[in-house]
Amino acid sequence: MGWMLALVVVVLVHQWLPQARWLMVHMVTLGLITTSIMVWGQHFAEALLKTRLGEESRPRQLARLRLLTAGVVATIAGMLPGWPWLVVLGALAVSAALLWYAAALGAQIRAALAPRFAFTVRAYVAAACLLPVGALLGAAMAFSPGEPWQGRLMLAHQIVNVLGFVGLTVTGTLLTLWPTVLRTRIEVAAATRAAGGLLGMFLAVLGAVAGALIGSTLLGCAALLAYLGSFAWVAVTLVRVGVHGVRQERRVPLAPFPILSIGAGTGWFALTTAGLLVMWWRSADAQMASSLVAADVQQLTVPFVAGFLLQVLLGAMSHLLPVTLGGGPRATTAALAVMSRGAVLRVVAYNLVVALFVLAERGTAGSGALFSALTLGTAEVAGFGSLSRVLLSLLGFAVLVSFVVLLVLAVRTSSRLRGTAVPLPTPSRPEAAASVSPARSELPSPSVGPSPSVGPPPSVGPPTGSRTGPAPAAAAPMDRRALTGALLGLGSVLGATALGGSLDRSQGSIPDAAGTAGGTAGAAAVTPTGESTTISVSMAEMRFTPDRLEVPAGNALVIELSNDDPHDVHDLVLATGATSGRLQPGESRVLDGGVVAHDMEGWCSIVGHRAMGMTLSIVATGAAAGTAADGGAVAAGSGADELARVGADMMAAPGPDVAVRDARLPAATGPQQLVTLEVVEVAAEIAPGVTMDAMTYGGTVVGPVLRSELGARLTVDLVNHGSMGHSLDLHAGRVSPDEAMRTIPPGEQLEYAITTDHAGIWLYHCSTMPMSVHLSAGMVGALVVPPPELAPVEREYVLVQSEHYLVPAGAPGSESTTHEGALPVSPVKIAAERPDLTVFNGHATQYVHSPLEARVGERVRLWVLAAGPSRGISFHVVGGVFDTVFKEGAYLLRPEDGEGGGAQALDLAAAQGGFVELVFDEPGTYTAVNHSFVEMERGARALIRVTA
């Protein structure tokens, strides 16, 4: 209950929390689910094995739970600020708790005397042994490895934890809990046969994890197929039990919510696992070593967590908690009835909400059609704006919170009726009154120790001789109530989408033409012809060819899409929400564009590509006058101004996970130098409270400072661990760009060698188009080549200025981030020259709270580079005078000139660099700034602490 209440609080305040999605997901999986499994797994094991443990064992069980809780808290506390080693410690604590739990269950199995349901407890042991593997995989992801490893680890992590730990535990439990909820019988022989599928699921998980880690699509998909087959083997038995249980006559009706919730959750589990199989198979690509990228895997989070885990958990708890409360037959029956209030309404509304979010996330034409069907044609994916999403999220959240409210009411009801007998009608057949408890003699209970029954006490259970056949007439009111609940659930979802769509259109976050079938009169007038138009489209050099597709109105559009770009990753997104997904160089895919009713736009969603002109138009020929293009507005954002500035507290310290960059010039290198630059896409803080969706060399905004000597040979090995094409341009080299500066796809590398024949501080950067986006995302760095006979100085620092343009939270484009809580780069702001931040060495305030150091009388040399992408710098030190100025390969001022001159600023345009020297005569705190003060106020400043 503690984790559930904490989750409610986090959901309410999540928009102000870092990594809110990750936090909510792991509070469910690690907090709610894992704790529930450990608690109820122990109870079920004791009941199934008939090995009731004594009170002396309870302190050990509590110690395991405390260790688990401490591990979960440590994992969360380490992940939020980005402390990977604390995440590792938390993962180790979670692993230790689960292994301890598995060992305890193993000891109980060995102590049991011929238990009939030991297969369920063995499934618990196997599942518990898998979670430590998943925990360690999750800890490895905290170190932010690049693609393809981030995607491989994410995929293996989800397989182990969801399909392995939770899937095995839930499936094994359902073999005994499902008949209990239905108050019916399962034969031991049938359950034992079905349990053979549990072993198949376990082995399939191991195979799928291996396939994920080595990037083998064939192995992974074969293992998933075996997993689904094994699960189906178990599910067939569960379905037969369900059919038998529903057909039985009953004097006390079944509590519907546990049945519906568990059934719906199990359905989501099977569908999502099948979806993972299809997604994995379609992702096979040599460029990505046959691995899904992390962004692809995250699409499964909503159906796995919200569709499967939460529904199965709440359904099971709605049955087990009233039974555990006890208090006699009447109290138990009444508590079960309270927990099932509004059952059909809650289940229908919640599952529709989950389904709409999943379909909107998929973005294909088929998912768009199903989205429209589920909303009875009143809404479309293109009209599913941010306010619609908020209202539906609140509706789903209300359903979840209702569990807590009903639980409180159930406890009060049970307490009030505790010990009161429930009167039963006189049975019509003598044999029915004589046999009740044997019907449930096979069923486990977490609440009655060695007794094997679960659910209401025997006096309210079904008779052994219950016949199957037509339900009694009393079921008719229930059927009417169920129909009413289903209609109310559907109506609540339709009302939320309609209201949200109206609010979205009123705020301009979606066009008036989107959202309803009647949005445009012309669109509504188009009748599908039943014919299709197939067009081949090539993607290369930031263009679609052809970029104008003419389709007869009413025809279905099929696009045969191929990425003919030799180096870069592209995709195609249509204004309807249909998307191809990312295509690696040389990859092809068929995109179902659906029935074309009006003109619309398509574009490449890779950051910056649309701004480079990578768009196409679809023209509905023969459409009625007045049909309007969708304008390319996919439901995203809340209507926030995309040019609004992203502000930061320039007096605040960097976040606790920010390592202050060492600004000292690296030591001299020899005549031969080999450097490896690894392209990694990370979430990086660039100002207090501002995290950017960054593209980096080596994991930091502004890559490492390189140093080479005059005439030396520098070889750079560029390795692309990103999710798109990247490249390198070393300004200090004289080489043909055709080969050395070419864009390399994800997973590839190239060697770039130059001779540093000229002195200066040289820019290096990504030269993949659009360059302004890649540079603004952090792909810049400095190469220092000191001039000959440069005198040594006591202090020598390097400051690289870069400016950054970010999409405001909630504005169009903010949903394209690949890291939760990070802001993507804004091509719109770059074009408008509206930077949000201008910083030194990748962070706005790092040298304000960790100043550079110097002493009175020491000569200090400051190398300065204006990395851009667009802004220059007027470099000045408040309180200091430069007696040496070196700019772009030549001295402008030297003390030995004999002219007695000094300089107040070093002026550099974008991509220019140089150094200045000065001596401080007095102790104090001096400030190095960009004297274009608007840039200084955006973060371009560094303090220099001078001591005596």
Side-chain angles (χ1 to χ4, degrees), residues 365-397:
S367 64
L370 186 53
F371 183 100
S372 181
L374 289 178
T375 56
L376 303 183
T378 62
E380 297 176 357
V381 173
F384 194 47
S386 60
L387 293 178
S388 299
R389 294 168 188 262
V390 168
L391 290 178
L392 277 186
S393 298
L394 290 175
L395 178 59
F397 179 62

Side-chain angles (χ1 to χ4, degrees), residues 808-862:
S814 60
E815 76 287 350
S816 65
T817 181
T818 57
H819 298 89
E820 182 73 24
L823 300 178
V825 174
S826 171
V828 175
K829 284 186 177 178
I830 292 174
E833 298 190 43
R834 298 271 293 270
D836 296 295
L837 296 162
T838 307
V839 304
F840 286 149
N841 292 355
H843 196 284
T845 67
Q846 60 180 330
Y847 300 128
V848 174
H849 292 270
S850 299
L852 308 179
E853 301 286 345
R855 292 182 180 275
V856 171
E858 290 182 337
R859 176 162 290 273
V860 178
R861 180 178 296 133
L862 298 168

Side-chain angles (χ1 to χ4, degrees), residues 395-472:
L395 178 59
F397 179 62
V399 172
L400 296 179
V401 171
S402 69
F403 172 84
V404 179
V405 175
L406 292 175
L407 178 59
V408 174
L409 295 176
V411 171
R412 292 177 58 185
T413 300
S414 177
S415 300
R416 187 176 66 253
L417 299 177
R418 188 173 297 275
T420 305
V422 57
L424 291 178
T426 303
S428 58
R429 294 183 298 126
E431 66 270 22
S435 56
V436 173
S437 105
R440 295 190 310 278
S441 63
E442 311 292 350
L443 306 178
S445 171
S447 60
V448 294
S451 171
S453 89
V454 164
S459 58
V460 299
T464 307
S466 294
R467 70 179 187 270
T468 61

Side-chain angles (χ1 to χ4, degrees), residues 426-516:
T426 303
S428 58
R429 294 183 298 126
E431 66 270 22
S435 56
V436 173
S437 105
R440 295 190 310 278
S441 63
E442 311 292 350
L443 306 178
S445 171
S447 60
V448 294
S451 171
S453 89
V454 164
S459 58
V460 299
T464 307
S466 294
R467 70 179 187 270
T468 61
M478 179 61 188
D479 292 341
R480 288 195 293 270
R481 287 196 299 270
L483 177 60
T484 301
L487 292 176
L488 288 174
L490 175 61
S492 63
V493 173
L494 295 182
T497 55
L499 177 59
S502 177
L503 293 173
D504 280 319
R505 286 189 294 277
S506 68
Q507 294 201 2
S509 59
I510 63 173
D512 289 338
T516 66

Side-chain angles (χ1 to χ4, degrees), residues 87-328:
V87 176
V88 171
L89 290 176
L92 291 175
V94 171
S95 301
L98 267 295
L99 291 175
W100 186 3
Y101 164 74
L105 294 185
Q108 289 178 248
I109 293 175
R110 291 190 296 272
L113 299 176
R116 292 173 294 178
F117 292 97
F119 54 78
T120 293
V121 186
R122 291 193 183 97
Y124 293 168
V125 173
C129 291
L130 287 174
L131 186 64
V133 179
L136 294 178
L137 291 170
M141 286 191 295
F143 290 89
S144 298
E147 292 292 355
W149 280 107
Q150 187 75 8
R152 293 181 183 183
L153 291 171
M154 172 76 79
L155 181 57
H157 177 71
Q158 287 207 356
I159 290 171
V160 170
N161 289 349
V162 180
L163 303 188
F165 174 59
V166 181
L168 270 176
T169 301
V170 168
T171 307
T173 301
L174 286 179
L175 281 172
T176 51
L177 179 62
W178 185 240
T180 304
V181 172
L182 292 166
R183 299 208 309 266
T184 191
R185 173 190 293 275
I186 184 171
E187 298 295 337
V188 177
T192 304
R193 283 195 304 272
L198 298 174
L199 177 60
M201 293 170 67
F202 177 77
L203 296 176
V205 165
L206 298 181
V209 170
L213 292 178
I214 67 175
S216 173
T217 298
L218 183 60
L219 174 59
C221 290
L224 278 186
L225 195 59
Y227 184 94
L228 283 170
S230 300
F231 177 75
W233 178 260
V234 181
V236 167
T237 299
L238 297 178
V239 170
R240 287 173 178 168
V241 170
V243 171
H244 176 75
V246 169
R247 288 179 175 176
Q248 288 180 201
E249 289 186 15
R250 303 181 187 281
R251 293 176 177 81
V252 178
L254 293 172
F257 183 76
I259 300 171
L260 296 175
S261 188
I262 293 173
T266 306
W268 275 110
F269 177 67
L271 286 174
T272 309
T273 305
L276 174 60
L277 171 61
V278 173
M279 182 185 294
W280 198 350
W281 180 256
R282 289 180 175 176
S283 73
D285 182 87
Q287 302 284 358
M288 289 294 290
S290 302
S291 172
L292 292 171
V293 297
D296 294 328
V297 180
Q298 288 176 343
Q299 293 182 26
L300 302 174
T301 300
V302 170
F304 265 140
V305 175
F308 166 50
L309 296 180
L310 281 175
Q311 289 203 95
V312 169
L313 175 67
L314 298 186
M317 293 300 98
S318 295
H319 176 83
L320 294 173
L321 291 175
V323 172
T324 305
L325 290 173

Side-chain angles (χ1 to χ4, degrees), residues 898-931:
E899 297 177 358
Q904 56 194 315
L906 170 62
D907 61 314
L908 301 170
Q912 289 189 327
F915 68 79
V916 295
E917 295 179 8
L918 72 166
V919 176
F920 296 101
D921 297 329
E922 299 178 359
T925 301
Y926 298 76
T927 306
V929 301
N930 184 336
H931 211 279

